[in-house]
Amino acid sequence: MPKHIILDTDPGIDDSLAILLALASPEIVLDGISTIHGNASTAQVTRNALAILELAKAGNIPVYAGCELPLVQPSLLSPETHGDSGLGYAKLSEPLGRPQLKHGSDFLIERIMSSAEEVTLVAIGPLTNVAMAIRKEPRIVEKVKEVFIMGGAIRHQGNTTPLAEYNTFVDPHAAHIVFHSGMPMILTPLDVTYQCIFLKEDLDRLLKIDSPITKFIADATRFYMEFHDEYQKIDGCVINDPMTLALTFMPEICDYESLYVDVDISTGVGLGNTFADFYNYEKKKPNMKVALGVRPRMFMELFLERMEKLAESLSAR
Ligand code: RIB
Ligand code: CA
């Protein structure tokens, strides 16, 4: 039986790869997308989500625009990482579809509370929509099957400040609400995503297939690779979000520890920093499973194979 997924996302280059992986994976059914400010404005990421779905001939999947600002912090978009459009150098035609009228946070509530099937939430952007949904309808905490979160850095350095990862830095207060909600969470931090670098040779393998999908991936990741080279001296690019999505149906890619994890909401240099209480100083029960070990080639092979299949099914022939 396929797993029903709802995806809260800020597409974003690696988010777009997660959407494509979801569409290319028969183990899951993507029931809908809620969009969130982050890599680009909510209006822009909503347009991008619609355009990516239509690129993959999945324009029937509903998209719901969510919050436009963090709960407390000022807006922090990332054009230097994802480009002004949020999709790097990729140029997608204006989507024919429009977002649904319901707010993204209300979509999360409605889908979790109403579903006959249990639903898995995958959150790969700042957690503002998820936090709002918890505050509006606290019962989602018990009802949701599981929550996969891309975010945080446990033993790894930050990618936005020396200590903080982007999603938890952009809205640390939302992350704090979610981390302390009691939801059944699985966290995919930079500790594992930075071991899974999408390389030029991986892209060259995909480009053997002439398809709008491979052209999109090339144009989007070329920008993302230039960012990683210039800012972090990394050869390739870190595809955090598709890796998080992959764990919903292939958990064996990673090794996990059940830990008490918190996020710093003080106003100092540590804002947005996430940390695990490995020695249980606080005597608190673990609040999530954290992926801390990874088999990088297992993930990358899965990702490339699924992109090849999707590209072939939509080849330019
Ligand atoms: O820190 C990486 C995360 O922040 C990814 O989800 C990326 O898309 C950005 O949202
Ligand atoms: Ca993201």
Side-chain angles (χ1 to χ4, degrees), residues 33-94:
I33 287 178
S34 52
T35 58
I36 186 66
H37 66 84
N39 292 325
S41 69
T42 304
Q44 185 64 53
V45 300
T46 302
R47 179 211 168 279
N48 292 344
L50 290 163
I52 293 155
L53 289 171
E54 290 177 16
L55 173 75
K57 307 280 185 262
N60 58 306
I61 293 174
V63 174
Y64 300 80
C67 295
E68 299 181 357
L69 289 172
L71 297 181
V72 176
Q73 291 297 111
S75 169
L76 177 68
L77 308 182
S78 54
E80 78 294 331
T81 310
H82 295 266
D84 291 337
S85 73
L87 296 177
Y89 296 123
K91 298 264 178 283
L92 294 182
S93 18
E94 201 54 31

Short mmCIF file of all heavy atoms in Angstrom, two decimals, residues 33-94:
data_model
loop_
_atom_site.label_atom_id
_atom_site.label_comp_id
_atom_site.label_asym_id
_atom_site.label_seq_id
_atom_site.Cartn_x
_atom_site.Cartn_y
_atom_site.Cartn_z
N ILE A 33 0.36 19.82 -1.66
CA ILE A 33 1.53 20.63 -1.29
C ILE A 33 1.06 21.91 -0.61
O ILE A 33 0.14 22.59 -1.11
CB ILE A 33 2.35 20.98 -2.55
CG1 ILE A 33 3.10 19.75 -3.07
CG2 ILE A 33 3.33 22.12 -2.26
CD1 ILE A 33 3.89 19.99 -4.35
N SER A 34 1.66 22.23 0.55
CA SER A 34 1.49 23.58 1.13
C SER A 34 2.83 24.29 0.96
O SER A 34 3.89 23.68 1.13
CB SER A 34 1.09 23.50 2.61
OG SER A 34 1.98 22.66 3.34
N THR A 35 2.75 25.57 0.58
CA THR A 35 3.98 26.31 0.34
C THR A 35 4.24 27.29 1.47
O THR A 35 3.32 27.73 2.15
CB THR A 35 3.89 27.09 -0.98
OG1 THR A 35 2.76 27.97 -0.91
CG2 THR A 35 3.76 26.15 -2.17
N ILE A 36 5.52 27.61 1.65
CA ILE A 36 5.93 28.44 2.79
C ILE A 36 7.04 29.40 2.34
O ILE A 36 7.85 29.04 1.47
CB ILE A 36 6.41 27.53 3.96
CG1 ILE A 36 6.71 28.36 5.21
CG2 ILE A 36 7.62 26.69 3.59
CD1 ILE A 36 5.51 29.01 5.82
N HIS A 37 7.07 30.59 2.93
CA HIS A 37 8.18 31.53 2.66
C HIS A 37 9.48 30.82 2.99
O HIS A 37 9.54 29.90 3.79
CB HIS A 37 8.04 32.76 3.56
CG HIS A 37 8.21 32.40 5.01
ND1 HIS A 37 9.45 32.30 5.63
CD2 HIS A 37 7.30 32.04 5.94
CE1 HIS A 37 9.28 31.92 6.89
NE2 HIS A 37 8.00 31.73 7.10
N GLY A 38 10.54 31.25 2.32
CA GLY A 38 11.86 30.66 2.64
C GLY A 38 12.82 30.95 1.51
O GLY A 38 13.27 32.08 1.33
N ASN A 39 13.08 29.95 0.69
CA ASN A 39 14.06 30.13 -0.40
C ASN A 39 13.66 31.30 -1.31
O ASN A 39 14.50 31.94 -1.92
CB ASN A 39 14.18 28.85 -1.22
CG ASN A 39 14.82 27.73 -0.41
OD1 ASN A 39 15.70 27.97 0.41
ND2 ASN A 39 14.34 26.51 -0.58
N ALA A 40 12.36 31.52 -1.42
CA ALA A 40 11.83 32.69 -2.15
C ALA A 40 10.51 33.08 -1.46
O ALA A 40 10.07 32.42 -0.52
CB ALA A 40 11.63 32.36 -3.63
N SER A 41 9.87 34.13 -1.95
CA SER A 41 8.62 34.57 -1.32
C SER A 41 7.54 33.49 -1.48
O SER A 41 7.63 32.63 -2.36
CB SER A 41 8.14 35.86 -1.99
OG SER A 41 7.73 35.54 -3.33
N THR A 42 6.52 33.57 -0.65
CA THR A 42 5.45 32.56 -0.73
C THR A 42 4.79 32.59 -2.11
O THR A 42 4.51 31.56 -2.70
CB THR A 42 4.42 32.82 0.38
OG1 THR A 42 5.12 32.80 1.62
CG2 THR A 42 3.33 31.76 0.39
N ALA A 43 4.60 33.80 -2.65
CA ALA A 43 4.00 33.90 -4.00
C ALA A 43 4.89 33.19 -5.02
O ALA A 43 4.40 32.43 -5.86
CB ALA A 43 3.81 35.37 -4.37
N GLN A 44 6.20 33.39 -4.91
CA GLN A 44 7.12 32.82 -5.88
C GLN A 44 7.21 31.31 -5.72
O GLN A 44 7.16 30.55 -6.70
CB GLN A 44 8.51 33.45 -5.73
CG GLN A 44 9.51 32.99 -6.79
CD GLN A 44 9.12 33.40 -8.20
OE1 GLN A 44 8.86 34.56 -8.48
NE2 GLN A 44 9.04 32.41 -9.10
N VAL A 45 7.33 30.81 -4.49
CA VAL A 45 7.46 29.35 -4.29
C VAL A 45 6.15 28.65 -4.64
O VAL A 45 6.16 27.50 -5.09
CB VAL A 45 7.95 28.99 -2.88
CG1 VAL A 45 9.32 29.59 -2.59
CG2 VAL A 45 6.96 29.35 -1.80
N THR A 46 5.03 29.35 -4.50
CA THR A 46 3.74 28.76 -4.89
C THR A 46 3.67 28.62 -6.40
O THR A 46 3.28 27.57 -6.94
CB THR A 46 2.59 29.63 -4.38
OG1 THR A 46 2.70 29.74 -2.95
CG2 THR A 46 1.22 29.03 -4.72
N ARG A 47 4.12 29.67 -7.10
CA ARG A 47 4.19 29.58 -8.57
C ARG A 47 5.10 28.45 -8.99
O ARG A 47 4.79 27.66 -9.89
CB ARG A 47 4.71 30.92 -9.12
CG ARG A 47 4.87 30.97 -10.61
CD ARG A 47 6.01 31.89 -11.04
NE ARG A 47 6.30 31.69 -12.45
CZ ARG A 47 7.06 30.66 -12.91
NH1 ARG A 47 7.55 29.77 -12.05
NH2 ARG A 47 7.28 30.50 -14.20
N ASN A 48 6.25 28.36 -8.29
CA ASN A 48 7.23 27.31 -8.63
C ASN A 48 6.65 25.92 -8.42
O ASN A 48 6.83 25.02 -9.27
CB ASN A 48 8.50 27.49 -7.81
CG ASN A 48 9.27 28.75 -8.18
OD1 ASN A 48 9.03 29.37 -9.23
ND2 ASN A 48 10.19 29.15 -7.32
N ALA A 49 5.94 25.74 -7.32
CA ALA A 49 5.35 24.41 -7.04
C ALA A 49 4.38 24.03 -8.14
O ALA A 49 4.41 22.91 -8.67
CB ALA A 49 4.67 24.43 -5.68
N LEU A 50 3.52 24.97 -8.54
CA LEU A 50 2.56 24.69 -9.63
C LEU A 50 3.29 24.36 -10.92
O LEU A 50 2.94 23.40 -11.63
CB LEU A 50 1.66 25.91 -9.83
CG LEU A 50 0.65 26.22 -8.71
CD1 LEU A 50 0.14 27.66 -8.84
CD2 LEU A 50 -0.51 25.22 -8.73
N ALA A 51 4.34 25.12 -11.21
CA ALA A 51 5.07 24.94 -12.47
C ALA A 51 5.82 23.60 -12.49
O ALA A 51 5.86 22.90 -13.52
CB ALA A 51 6.04 26.10 -12.69
N ILE A 52 6.39 23.20 -11.37
CA ILE A 52 7.13 21.93 -11.30
C ILE A 52 6.17 20.75 -11.46
O ILE A 52 6.43 19.79 -12.19
CB ILE A 52 7.90 21.83 -9.96
CG1 ILE A 52 9.02 22.86 -9.90
CG2 ILE A 52 8.49 20.42 -9.75
CD1 ILE A 52 9.40 23.25 -8.47
N LEU A 53 5.02 20.84 -10.81
CA LEU A 53 4.01 19.77 -10.95
C LEU A 53 3.58 19.66 -12.42
O LEU A 53 3.48 18.56 -12.97
CB LEU A 53 2.81 20.05 -10.05
CG LEU A 53 3.04 19.88 -8.54
CD1 LEU A 53 1.85 20.41 -7.76
CD2 LEU A 53 3.33 18.43 -8.18
N GLU A 54 3.36 20.80 -13.07
CA GLU A 54 2.93 20.76 -14.48
C GLU A 54 4.05 20.26 -15.38
O GLU A 54 3.81 19.54 -16.34
CB GLU A 54 2.43 22.15 -14.91
CG GLU A 54 1.10 22.50 -14.25
CD GLU A 54 0.59 23.89 -14.58
OE1 GLU A 54 1.07 24.50 -15.55
OE2 GLU A 54 -0.30 24.37 -13.86
N LEU A 55 5.29 20.59 -15.05
CA LEU A 55 6.43 20.07 -15.82
C LEU A 55 6.40 18.54 -15.80
O LEU A 55 6.67 17.89 -16.81
CB LEU A 55 7.74 20.57 -15.20
CG LEU A 55 9.03 19.99 -15.77
CD1 LEU A 55 9.33 20.60 -17.15
CD2 LEU A 55 10.20 20.24 -14.81
N ALA A 56 6.03 17.98 -14.67
CA ALA A 56 6.02 16.51 -14.51
C ALA A 56 4.64 15.93 -14.79
O ALA A 56 4.34 14.80 -14.40
CB ALA A 56 6.47 16.14 -13.11
N LYS A 57 3.80 16.71 -15.46
CA LYS A 57 2.45 16.26 -15.82
C LYS A 57 1.64 15.82 -14.59
O LYS A 57 0.91 14.82 -14.64
CB LYS A 57 2.53 15.10 -16.84
CG LYS A 57 3.37 15.40 -18.07
CD LYS A 57 2.60 16.23 -19.10
CE LYS A 57 3.42 16.42 -20.38
NZ LYS A 57 4.10 17.75 -20.40
N ALA A 58 1.82 16.54 -13.48
CA ALA A 58 1.08 16.22 -12.23
C ALA A 58 0.34 17.45 -11.75
O ALA A 58 0.20 17.68 -10.55
CB ALA A 58 2.06 15.71 -11.17
N GLY A 59 -0.16 18.23 -12.69
CA GLY A 59 -0.86 19.48 -12.35
C GLY A 59 -2.16 19.26 -11.60
O GLY A 59 -2.77 20.21 -11.11
N ASN A 60 -2.58 17.99 -11.48
CA ASN A 60 -3.81 17.68 -10.74
C ASN A 60 -3.59 17.73 -9.23
O ASN A 60 -4.55 17.76 -8.46
CB ASN A 60 -4.31 16.29 -11.12
CG ASN A 60 -3.22 15.24 -10.82
OD1 ASN A 60 -2.10 15.38 -11.29
ND2 ASN A 60 -3.54 14.24 -10.02
N ILE A 61 -2.35 17.71 -8.79
CA ILE A 61 -2.06 17.72 -7.35
C ILE A 61 -2.26 19.14 -6.80
O ILE A 61 -1.68 20.09 -7.33
CB ILE A 61 -0.62 17.23 -7.08
CG1 ILE A 61 -0.51 15.74 -7.46
CG2 ILE A 61 -0.23 17.43 -5.60
CD1 ILE A 61 0.88 15.16 -7.38
N PRO A 62 -3.11 19.30 -5.77
CA PRO A 62 -3.44 20.64 -5.28
C PRO A 62 -2.29 21.31 -4.53
O PRO A 62 -1.52 20.64 -3.83
CB PRO A 62 -4.63 20.41 -4.35
CG PRO A 62 -4.49 19.01 -3.87
CD PRO A 62 -3.84 18.25 -5.00
N VAL A 63 -2.19 22.64 -4.72
CA VAL A 63 -1.17 23.45 -4.05
C VAL A 63 -1.88 24.52 -3.23
O VAL A 63 -2.83 25.16 -3.72
CB VAL A 63 -0.23 24.10 -5.09
CG1 VAL A 63 0.75 25.06 -4.40
CG2 VAL A 63 0.53 23.04 -5.88
N TYR A 64 -1.43 24.69 -1.98
CA TYR A 64 -2.06 25.65 -1.06
C TYR A 64 -1.00 26.62 -0.56
O TYR A 64 -0.01 26.20 0.05
CB TYR A 64 -2.65 24.91 0.14
CG TYR A 64 -3.70 23.88 -0.22
CD1 TYR A 64 -3.33 22.61 -0.68
CD2 TYR A 64 -5.06 24.16 -0.09
CE1 TYR A 64 -4.29 21.66 -1.00
CE2 TYR A 64 -6.02 23.20 -0.41
CZ TYR A 64 -5.63 21.97 -0.87
OH TYR A 64 -6.58 21.01 -1.19
N ALA A 65 -1.19 27.90 -0.79
CA ALA A 65 -0.20 28.89 -0.34
C ALA A 65 -0.31 29.08 1.18
O ALA A 65 -1.41 29.18 1.73
CB ALA A 65 -0.44 30.22 -1.05
N GLY A 66 0.84 29.14 1.84
CA GLY A 66 0.87 29.27 3.30
C GLY A 66 1.37 30.61 3.78
O GLY A 66 1.23 31.62 3.09
N CYS A 67 1.97 30.59 4.95
CA CYS A 67 2.40 31.84 5.61
C CYS A 67 3.46 32.56 4.78
O CYS A 67 4.29 31.93 4.13
CB CYS A 67 2.96 31.53 7.00
SG CYS A 67 1.72 30.86 8.12
N GLU A 68 3.39 33.91 4.87
CA GLU A 68 4.34 34.73 4.10
C GLU A 68 5.50 35.25 4.93
O GLU A 68 6.48 35.78 4.39
CB GLU A 68 3.57 35.88 3.45
CG GLU A 68 2.49 35.38 2.49
CD GLU A 68 1.74 36.52 1.81
OE1 GLU A 68 2.01 37.68 2.13
OE2 GLU A 68 0.88 36.22 0.96
N LEU A 69 5.38 35.11 6.26
CA LEU A 69 6.42 35.62 7.15
C LEU A 69 6.64 34.65 8.30
O LEU A 69 5.71 33.92 8.69
CB LEU A 69 6.00 36.98 7.72
CG LEU A 69 5.99 38.17 6.77
CD1 LEU A 69 5.35 39.37 7.46
CD2 LEU A 69 7.40 38.50 6.30
N PRO A 70 7.85 34.67 8.90
CA PRO A 70 8.07 33.87 10.11
C PRO A 70 7.18 34.35 11.26
O PRO A 70 6.63 35.47 11.18
CB PRO A 70 9.55 34.12 10.43
CG PRO A 70 10.15 34.64 9.15
CD PRO A 70 9.06 35.37 8.44
N LEU A 71 7.06 33.61 12.33
CA LEU A 71 6.19 33.99 13.45
C LEU A 71 6.68 35.27 14.15
O LEU A 71 5.87 36.11 14.54
CB LEU A 71 6.13 32.85 14.47
CG LEU A 71 5.53 31.53 14.00
CD1 LEU A 71 5.51 30.52 15.16
CD2 LEU A 71 4.12 31.73 13.44
N VAL A 72 7.97 35.38 14.32
CA VAL A 72 8.53 36.54 15.04
C VAL A 72 9.63 37.22 14.23
O VAL A 72 9.64 38.45 14.08
CB VAL A 72 9.11 36.09 16.42
CG1 VAL A 72 9.80 37.25 17.12
CG2 VAL A 72 8.03 35.47 17.29
N GLN A 73 10.54 36.44 13.68
CA GLN A 73 11.69 36.97 12.94
C GLN A 73 11.24 37.71 11.69
O GLN A 73 10.16 37.43 11.15
CB GLN A 73 12.61 35.81 12.51
CG GLN A 73 13.33 35.14 13.67
CD GLN A 73 14.25 36.11 14.36
OE1 GLN A 73 14.00 36.52 15.51
NE2 GLN A 73 15.29 36.53 13.66
N PRO A 74 12.09 38.65 11.19
CA PRO A 74 11.82 39.26 9.88
C PRO A 74 12.04 38.23 8.78
O PRO A 74 12.69 37.20 9.00
CB PRO A 74 12.85 40.39 9.80
CG PRO A 74 13.97 39.96 10.69
CD PRO A 74 13.33 39.16 11.80
N SER A 75 11.48 38.52 7.60
CA SER A 75 11.64 37.60 6.46
C SER A 75 13.12 37.46 6.09
O SER A 75 13.88 38.43 6.15
CB SER A 75 10.88 38.16 5.26
OG SER A 75 11.21 37.44 4.08
N LEU A 76 13.53 36.24 5.75
CA LEU A 76 14.90 36.01 5.26
C LEU A 76 14.82 35.05 4.08
O LEU A 76 14.67 33.83 4.26
CB LEU A 76 15.79 35.41 6.35
CG LEU A 76 17.21 35.07 5.89
CD1 LEU A 76 18.00 36.34 5.57
CD2 LEU A 76 17.94 34.25 6.94
N LEU A 77 14.84 35.61 2.86
CA LEU A 77 14.80 34.77 1.66
C LEU A 77 16.24 34.43 1.27
O LEU A 77 17.19 34.95 1.87
CB LEU A 77 14.10 35.53 0.53
CG LEU A 77 12.71 36.11 0.88
CD1 LEU A 77 12.09 36.79 -0.34
CD2 LEU A 77 11.77 35.04 1.43
N SER A 78 16.42 33.54 0.28
CA SER A 78 17.80 33.15 -0.04
C SER A 78 18.07 33.17 -1.55
O SER A 78 18.37 32.13 -2.16
CB SER A 78 18.14 31.77 0.55
OG SER A 78 17.20 30.81 0.12
N PRO A 79 17.99 34.38 -2.16
CA PRO A 79 18.25 34.47 -3.61
C PRO A 79 19.68 34.09 -3.98
O PRO A 79 19.92 33.60 -5.08
CB PRO A 79 17.97 35.95 -3.92
CG PRO A 79 18.05 36.66 -2.62
CD PRO A 79 17.61 35.67 -1.57
N GLU A 80 20.60 34.27 -3.01
CA GLU A 80 22.00 33.94 -3.34
C GLU A 80 22.16 32.42 -3.52
O GLU A 80 23.05 31.94 -4.21
CB GLU A 80 22.94 34.47 -2.24
CG GLU A 80 23.00 33.65 -0.96
CD GLU A 80 21.67 33.67 -0.17
OE1 GLU A 80 20.93 34.66 -0.27
OE2 GLU A 80 21.38 32.66 0.51
N THR A 81 21.24 31.65 -2.90
CA THR A 81 21.36 30.19 -2.94
C THR A 81 20.50 29.58 -4.03
O THR A 81 20.90 28.62 -4.70
CB THR A 81 20.91 29.60 -1.58
OG1 THR A 81 21.56 30.28 -0.52
CG2 THR A 81 21.19 28.10 -1.50
N HIS A 82 19.31 30.15 -4.22
CA HIS A 82 18.34 29.54 -5.14
C HIS A 82 17.99 30.44 -6.33
O HIS A 82 17.17 30.05 -7.16
CB HIS A 82 17.06 29.17 -4.37
CG HIS A 82 17.29 28.12 -3.33
ND1 HIS A 82 17.10 26.78 -3.57
CD2 HIS A 82 17.73 28.21 -2.05
CE1 HIS A 82 17.41 26.09 -2.47
NE2 HIS A 82 17.80 26.93 -1.54
N GLY A 83 18.58 31.65 -6.38
CA GLY A 83 18.26 32.59 -7.47
C GLY A 83 17.01 33.38 -7.15
O GLY A 83 16.22 33.00 -6.28
N ASP A 84 16.81 34.49 -7.87
CA ASP A 84 15.64 35.35 -7.61
C ASP A 84 14.34 34.57 -7.83
O ASP A 84 13.35 34.79 -7.15
CB ASP A 84 15.67 36.58 -8.53
CG ASP A 84 16.80 37.53 -8.14
OD1 ASP A 84 17.24 37.45 -6.96
OD2 ASP A 84 17.26 38.30 -9.00
N SER A 85 14.36 33.66 -8.80
CA SER A 85 13.12 32.90 -9.10
C SER A 85 12.92 31.75 -8.11
O SER A 85 11.84 31.18 -8.02
CB SER A 85 13.21 32.29 -10.51
OG SER A 85 14.14 31.19 -10.46
N GLY A 86 13.99 31.39 -7.38
CA GLY A 86 13.92 30.23 -6.50
C GLY A 86 14.29 28.93 -7.19
O GLY A 86 14.42 27.89 -6.54
N LEU A 87 14.49 28.99 -8.52
CA LEU A 87 14.80 27.75 -9.27
C LEU A 87 16.09 27.90 -10.08
O LEU A 87 16.26 27.29 -11.14
CB LEU A 87 13.62 27.37 -10.18
CG LEU A 87 12.32 27.02 -9.45
CD1 LEU A 87 11.21 26.73 -10.46
CD2 LEU A 87 12.50 25.84 -8.50
N GLY A 88 16.99 28.76 -9.58
CA GLY A 88 18.29 28.90 -10.24
C GLY A 88 18.15 29.43 -11.65
O GLY A 88 17.42 30.41 -11.89
N TYR A 89 18.83 28.76 -12.60
CA TYR A 89 18.77 29.19 -14.00
C TYR A 89 17.60 28.55 -14.75
O TYR A 89 17.42 28.80 -15.94
CB TYR A 89 20.08 28.81 -14.71
CG TYR A 89 21.31 29.50 -14.18
CD1 TYR A 89 22.40 28.75 -13.70
CD2 TYR A 89 21.41 30.89 -14.13
CE1 TYR A 89 23.54 29.37 -13.21
CE2 TYR A 89 22.55 31.52 -13.63
CZ TYR A 89 23.61 30.75 -13.18
OH TYR A 89 24.75 31.37 -12.68
N ALA A 90 16.81 27.72 -14.08
CA ALA A 90 15.72 27.04 -14.79
C ALA A 90 14.61 28.04 -15.14
O ALA A 90 14.28 28.92 -14.34
CB ALA A 90 15.15 25.93 -13.92
N LYS A 91 14.09 27.87 -16.35
CA LYS A 91 13.00 28.75 -16.78
C LYS A 91 11.78 27.86 -17.06
O LYS A 91 11.81 27.08 -18.04
CB LYS A 91 13.39 29.49 -18.06
CG LYS A 91 14.62 30.40 -17.88
CD LYS A 91 14.20 31.85 -17.61
CE LYS A 91 15.41 32.76 -17.39
NZ LYS A 91 16.00 32.60 -16.02
N LEU A 92 10.78 27.92 -16.21
CA LEU A 92 9.57 27.13 -16.42
C LEU A 92 8.45 28.05 -16.89
O LEU A 92 8.37 29.21 -16.45
CB LEU A 92 9.15 26.42 -15.13
CG LEU A 92 10.11 25.35 -14.60
CD1 LEU A 92 9.54 24.72 -13.33
CD2 LEU A 92 10.39 24.29 -15.65
N SER A 93 7.60 27.54 -17.80
CA SER A 93 6.50 28.42 -18.27
C SER A 93 5.55 28.73 -17.11
O SER A 93 5.45 27.97 -16.15
CB SER A 93 5.73 27.76 -19.42
OG SER A 93 5.96 26.39 -19.50
N GLU A 94 4.88 29.87 -17.26
CA GLU A 94 3.89 30.29 -16.26
C GLU A 94 2.89 29.15 -16.05
O GLU A 94 2.37 28.62 -17.04
CB GLU A 94 3.18 31.56 -16.76
CG GLU A 94 2.51 32.40 -15.70
CD GLU A 94 3.46 32.80 -14.55
OE1 GLU A 94 4.67 32.98 -14.78
OE2 GLU A 94 2.96 32.87 -13.40
#
